[in-house]
Amino acid sequence: FAVGLLIVWFGPKEHHPSIRPKGPHKIVDQPKLTFQFFHRRGQTIQQGKSQTHYQAGDQLRFVYWNEHTKPLYLLLWSQSADGKKTLLYPGEKEGPFQLKAGTMRYTLPGGIVMDASTAQERFYVCVSSKPGTLDKMQPCLYQTSWLLVRTQK
């Protein structure tokens, strides 16, 4: 009666790098925000997007959803093709603009009436955890922008 032992060796396992996102594994608590704008010409209202064509007299309204629970502050400004910046929110004589939190849609107070002073206008949104100004901007936790192009009537 014979007993044998068979050892099979296949060598070292090949290393296959795993696929994973770059950076740390921990997901940073980023604000859950969405910003949009609506464009009104006469009686027609449409959701805006980058490359929206506007005419002098068209109106813009900005809306957002903020599901984040910590205080967040908004800077919204426009920049014309010649580089001139105009702060829209908060207004010049207002303090920091703190966003409301919740699961409903909020509309920024007031709105903007477009003029014919420039052929293009880009609107920027920066949301940060601390109040800031265009001169002393805080790091943006959320940012977006839209380019609007003027058309002739």
Side-chain angles (χ1 to χ4, degrees):
F1 180 95
V3 176
L5 179 62
L6 176 63
I7 299 177
V8 179
W9 183 61
F10 292 104
K13 272 188 158 182
E14 290 184 42
H15 176 69
H16 295 285
S18 61
I19 299 172
R20 63 181 213 211
K22 294 180 179 180
H25 294 290
K26 185 177 180 181
I27 296 174
V28 178
D29 186 23
Q30 290 291 327
K32 296 174 182 113
L33 289 169
T34 303
F35 266 84
Q36 296 176 332
F37 75 94
F38 289 85
H39 170 252
R40 178 179 183 170
R41 179 176 301 147
Q43 299 301 315
T44 304
I45 300 173
Q46 296 179 335
Q47 182 177 339
K49 60 184 188 291
S50 205
Q51 300 294 327
T52 292
H53 290 265
Y54 73 91
Q55 295 174 356
D58 288 359
Q59 300 170 5
L60 303 182
R61 294 294 304 260
F62 296 91
V63 298
Y64 68 94
W65 289 262
N66 175 20
E67 296 179 13
H68 206 271
T69 56
K70 296 178 183 170
L72 295 174
Y73 299 90
L74 170 69
L75 285 178
L76 191 151
W77 70 96
S78 65
Q79 184 168 341
S80 60
D82 64 3
K84 180 184 176 210
K85 293 180 183 178
T86 304
L87 182 62
L88 304 169
Y89 294 93
E92 282 185 29
K93 298 181 188 215
E94 298 173 359
F97 192 97
Q98 186 172 349
L99 297 177
K100 295 178 185 175
T103 56
M104 57 189 275
R105 181 179 82 176
Y106 296 98
T107 302
L108 295 180
I112 296 163
V113 177
M114 300 299 290
D115 62 22
S117 65
T118 183
Q120 293 185 27
E121 194 94 19
R122 183 171 290 276
F123 291 85
Y124 294 91
V125 171
C126 173
V127 175
S128 59
S129 60
K130 296 178 183 175
T133 65
L134 286 180
D135 297 329
K136 294 183 181 177
M137 206 177 261
Q138 298 295 321
C140 299
L141 300 174
Y142 173 90
Q143 59 188 359
T144 192
S145 70
W146 307 280
L147 177 67
L148 278 69
V149 180
R150 182 170 49 89
T151 57
Q152 302 298 323
K153 287 186 178 181

